[in-house]
Amino acid sequence: MVFPEGTPIAGVVSRLAGLGSRLADLPGASVLTVLASVAVGVVVANFLVRLIGRPVARRVSRQSVAQTIVRGVRVGTIGAALLVGLGAAGFQFSDLLLGTAVFSAVIGIVLAPLVGNFINGVFVLADQPFEIGDMIELEDGTTGFVEDITIRYTKIFTLDNTFLVVPNGTMRERDVTNLSAEDERTRRSIDVLVTYESDVPEARRRIERAARDCDAVIDGGPDIRIGVARYMAGPDCRLHEFGDNGILLRLRYWVKKPYKLAKVQSDVNTKIRQRLGDPDANVTMAYPHRHLVFDDTSGVARVEAESGTPGGVDPDAPAAATPDLSDDAESDRDDLSGGGAGQ
């Protein structure tokens, strides 16, 4: 539709065009355009996140994947708004491509670790070794809960009330034990050494009863299946081996929840100590003993007497240590005999 030049609408359009040209001539107008475009992108991104957040959470079972999708929508919307703002400001993307070709080697070296973490993050999300909320244990003994999984890193909330942020590249190279992936029941074992003179069957019964007394221990029920194998649900104590200092009994028991394993093990150890320490039990806990035996082939012990001998002389001392006075004694006898004859 074409309006005559004298109509009011044509005048408004011409004024707006003149205003736009004057604003474009102002210093910093390009920067303001880009910032305004990014601000609009942030507002639109927040609206989209609120719009699709719940549907994505309902359709995607894994929380980490759902959060990654929502983050991708947010970053993509803001990135698109940034590109629109740069285009409106007159930025030439062909110049950017030429500059990228020149500095690609430097950028590749600088961003290589970051790109590696992104790729490993995709593998972590795809392989599903752990999920947000799982309790895991790293190879160095650090135990905690998975707080968040992103494309770049995994955040772990440790049992010491600290946060541990591990890059996904390092996370995939570590041995990670998932303690609460599908079945939270965890089997633990305790070794108890008793003497050979102990009543071994009675010791086994008392150790199993001590484990059943703990509330966190599964005291019985159907066998627990792991793969194709089945294990007793209740505590099971068996004779493991004959040691140098006693008979080694090994107790295996299942814990309902893996969140307080150290406390449960301490409670079981306390109960075992009480059960085996009962005076009615013919069981004695063994510990290393050492016997020193001396016989005729063990050598001769030489003892130096400090007192009780005349002059403090050791009667067992070698003859070389005793002064030789035979010549002097003989001369003294000759003198005495000659003197007596003269008298």
PDB file of all heavy atoms in Angstrom, residues 123-136:
ATOM      1  N   PHE A 123      29.212 -38.233  26.955  1.00  0.00           N
ATOM      2  CA  PHE A 123      29.330 -39.667  27.239  1.00  0.00           C
ATOM      3  C   PHE A 123      28.801 -40.006  28.628  1.00  0.00           C
ATOM      4  O   PHE A 123      28.177 -41.060  28.821  1.00  0.00           O
ATOM      5  CB  PHE A 123      30.791 -40.112  27.106  1.00  0.00           C
ATOM      6  CG  PHE A 123      31.239 -40.292  25.689  1.00  0.00           C
ATOM      7  CD1 PHE A 123      32.197 -39.456  25.139  1.00  0.00           C
ATOM      8  CD2 PHE A 123      30.699 -41.292  24.902  1.00  0.00           C
ATOM      9  CE1 PHE A 123      32.614 -39.618  23.832  1.00  0.00           C
ATOM     10  CE2 PHE A 123      31.109 -41.463  23.595  1.00  0.00           C
ATOM     11  CZ  PHE A 123      32.064 -40.628  23.050  1.00  0.00           C
ATOM     12  N   VAL A 124      29.049 -39.134  29.604  1.00  0.00           N
ATOM     13  CA  VAL A 124      28.537 -39.388  30.958  1.00  0.00           C
ATOM     14  C   VAL A 124      27.015 -39.406  30.961  1.00  0.00           C
ATOM     15  O   VAL A 124      26.375 -40.264  31.596  1.00  0.00           O
ATOM     16  CB  VAL A 124      29.083 -38.335  31.939  1.00  0.00           C
ATOM     17  CG1 VAL A 124      28.351 -38.397  33.282  1.00  0.00           C
ATOM     18  CG2 VAL A 124      30.573 -38.538  32.164  1.00  0.00           C
ATOM     19  N   LEU A 125      26.407 -38.483  30.232  1.00  0.00           N
ATOM     20  CA  LEU A 125      24.949 -38.453  30.162  1.00  0.00           C
ATOM     21  C   LEU A 125      24.397 -39.638  29.388  1.00  0.00           C
ATOM     22  O   LEU A 125      23.309 -40.137  29.682  1.00  0.00           O
ATOM     23  CB  LEU A 125      24.491 -37.140  29.519  1.00  0.00           C
ATOM     24  CG  LEU A 125      24.773 -35.861  30.318  1.00  0.00           C
ATOM     25  CD1 LEU A 125      24.388 -34.643  29.509  1.00  0.00           C
ATOM     26  CD2 LEU A 125      24.018 -35.880  31.640  1.00  0.00           C
ATOM     27  N   ALA A 126      25.142 -40.098  28.386  1.00  0.00           N
ATOM     28  CA  ALA A 126      24.660 -41.219  27.571  1.00  0.00           C
ATOM     29  C   ALA A 126      24.884 -42.564  28.256  1.00  0.00           C
ATOM     30  O   ALA A 126      24.017 -43.448  28.204  1.00  0.00           O
ATOM     31  CB  ALA A 126      25.341 -41.196  26.206  1.00  0.00           C
ATOM     32  N   ASP A 127      26.042 -42.750  28.920  1.00  0.00           N
ATOM     33  CA  ASP A 127      26.347 -44.038  29.549  1.00  0.00           C
ATOM     34  C   ASP A 127      25.572 -44.274  30.841  1.00  0.00           C
ATOM     35  O   ASP A 127      25.431 -45.424  31.274  1.00  0.00           O
ATOM     36  CB  ASP A 127      27.851 -44.136  29.826  1.00  0.00           C
ATOM     37  CG  ASP A 127      28.669 -44.108  28.545  1.00  0.00           C
ATOM     38  OD1 ASP A 127      28.099 -44.408  27.476  1.00  0.00           O
ATOM     39  OD2 ASP A 127      29.880 -43.781  28.624  1.00  0.00           O
ATOM     40  N   GLN A 128      25.136 -43.210  31.498  1.00  0.00           N
ATOM     41  CA  GLN A 128      24.361 -43.300  32.731  1.00  0.00           C
ATOM     42  C   GLN A 128      25.082 -44.084  33.834  1.00  0.00           C
ATOM     43  O   GLN A 128      24.530 -45.015  34.424  1.00  0.00           O
ATOM     44  CB  GLN A 128      23.001 -43.956  32.468  1.00  0.00           C
ATOM     45  CG  GLN A 128      22.194 -43.271  31.398  1.00  0.00           C
ATOM     46  CD  GLN A 128      20.849 -43.937  31.166  1.00  0.00           C
ATOM     47  OE1 GLN A 128      20.433 -44.798  31.939  1.00  0.00           O
ATOM     48  NE2 GLN A 128      20.160 -43.567  30.116  1.00  0.00           N
ATOM     49  N   PRO A 129      26.342 -43.773  34.141  1.00  0.00           N
ATOM     50  CA  PRO A 129      27.007 -44.476  35.251  1.00  0.00           C
ATOM     51  C   PRO A 129      26.464 -44.075  36.611  1.00  0.00           C
ATOM     52  O   PRO A 129      26.539 -44.854  37.565  1.00  0.00           O
ATOM     53  CB  PRO A 129      28.470 -44.072  35.085  1.00  0.00           C
ATOM     54  CG  PRO A 129      28.412 -42.729  34.438  1.00  0.00           C
ATOM     55  CD  PRO A 129      27.221 -42.751  33.537  1.00  0.00           C
ATOM     56  N   PHE A 130      25.935 -42.876  36.720  1.00  0.00           N
ATOM     57  CA  PHE A 130      25.337 -42.404  37.967  1.00  0.00           C
ATOM     58  C   PHE A 130      24.350 -41.305  37.615  1.00  0.00           C
ATOM     59  O   PHE A 130      24.343 -40.783  36.499  1.00  0.00           O
ATOM     60  CB  PHE A 130      26.398 -41.896  38.957  1.00  0.00           C
ATOM     61  CG  PHE A 130      27.452 -41.044  38.322  1.00  0.00           C
ATOM     62  CD1 PHE A 130      27.228 -39.707  38.051  1.00  0.00           C
ATOM     63  CD2 PHE A 130      28.676 -41.583  37.981  1.00  0.00           C
ATOM     64  CE1 PHE A 130      28.202 -38.910  37.463  1.00  0.00           C
ATOM     65  CE2 PHE A 130      29.666 -40.799  37.383  1.00  0.00           C
ATOM     66  CZ  PHE A 130      29.419 -39.470  37.128  1.00  0.00           C
ATOM     67  N   GLU A 131      23.506 -40.981  38.580  1.00  0.00           N
ATOM     68  CA  GLU A 131      22.458 -39.996  38.380  1.00  0.00           C
ATOM     69  C   GLU A 131      22.455 -39.033  39.556  1.00  0.00           C
ATOM     70  O   GLU A 131      23.044 -39.310  40.612  1.00  0.00           O
ATOM     71  CB  GLU A 131      21.105 -40.702  38.230  1.00  0.00           C
ATOM     72  CG  GLU A 131      19.927 -39.793  37.876  1.00  0.00           C
ATOM     73  CD  GLU A 131      20.208 -38.922  36.671  1.00  0.00           C
ATOM     74  OE1 GLU A 131      20.336 -39.437  35.554  1.00  0.00           O
ATOM     75  OE2 GLU A 131      20.345 -37.703  36.883  1.00  0.00           O
ATOM     76  N   ILE A 132      21.812 -37.909  39.375  1.00  0.00           N
ATOM     77  CA  ILE A 132      21.707 -36.923  40.447  1.00  0.00           C
ATOM     78  C   ILE A 132      20.980 -37.558  41.634  1.00  0.00           C
ATOM     79  O   ILE A 132      19.910 -38.137  41.499  1.00  0.00           O
ATOM     80  CB  ILE A 132      20.961 -35.664  39.958  1.00  0.00           C
ATOM     81  CG1 ILE A 132      21.774 -34.970  38.853  1.00  0.00           C
ATOM     82  CG2 ILE A 132      20.699 -34.711  41.103  1.00  0.00           C
ATOM     83  CD1 ILE A 132      21.068 -33.771  38.254  1.00  0.00           C
ATOM     84  N   GLY A 133      21.592 -37.444  42.805  1.00  0.00           N
ATOM     85  CA  GLY A 133      21.044 -38.048  44.012  1.00  0.00           C
ATOM     86  C   GLY A 133      21.682 -39.362  44.390  1.00  0.00           C
ATOM     87  O   GLY A 133      21.484 -39.833  45.516  1.00  0.00           O
ATOM     88  N   ASP A 134      22.459 -39.982  43.480  1.00  0.00           N
ATOM     89  CA  ASP A 134      23.117 -41.255  43.802  1.00  0.00           C
ATOM     90  C   ASP A 134      24.284 -41.015  44.752  1.00  0.00           C
ATOM     91  O   ASP A 134      24.950 -39.979  44.701  1.00  0.00           O
ATOM     92  CB  ASP A 134      23.617 -41.938  42.534  1.00  0.00           C
ATOM     93  CG  ASP A 134      22.481 -42.500  41.693  1.00  0.00           C
ATOM     94  OD1 ASP A 134      21.333 -42.529  42.194  1.00  0.00           O
ATOM     95  OD2 ASP A 134      22.723 -42.891  40.541  1.00  0.00           O
ATOM     96  N   MET A 135      24.546 -42.010  45.575  1.00  0.00           N
ATOM     97  CA  MET A 135      25.705 -41.989  46.464  1.00  0.00           C
ATOM     98  C   MET A 135      26.827 -42.771  45.792  1.00  0.00           C
ATOM     99  O   MET A 135      26.665 -43.943  45.461  1.00  0.00           O
ATOM    100  CB  MET A 135      25.365 -42.619  47.815  1.00  0.00           C
ATOM    101  CG  MET A 135      26.488 -42.550  48.831  1.00  0.00           C
ATOM    102  SD  MET A 135      25.979 -43.216  50.442  1.00  0.00           S
ATOM    103  CE  MET A 135      27.476 -42.916  51.396  1.00  0.00           C
ATOM    104  N   ILE A 136      27.960 -42.113  45.571  1.00  0.00           N
ATOM    105  CA  ILE A 136      29.072 -42.725  44.859  1.00  0.00           C
ATOM    106  C   ILE A 136      30.327 -42.645  45.715  1.00  0.00           C
ATOM    107  O   ILE A 136      30.410 -41.856  46.659  1.00  0.00           O
ATOM    108  CB  ILE A 136      29.323 -42.051  43.493  1.00  0.00           C
ATOM    109  CG1 ILE A 136      29.722 -40.583  43.683  1.00  0.00           C
ATOM    110  CG2 ILE A 136      28.105 -42.163  42.599  1.00  0.00           C
ATOM    111  CD1 ILE A 136      30.118 -39.894  42.384  1.00  0.00           C
TER     112      ILE A 136
END
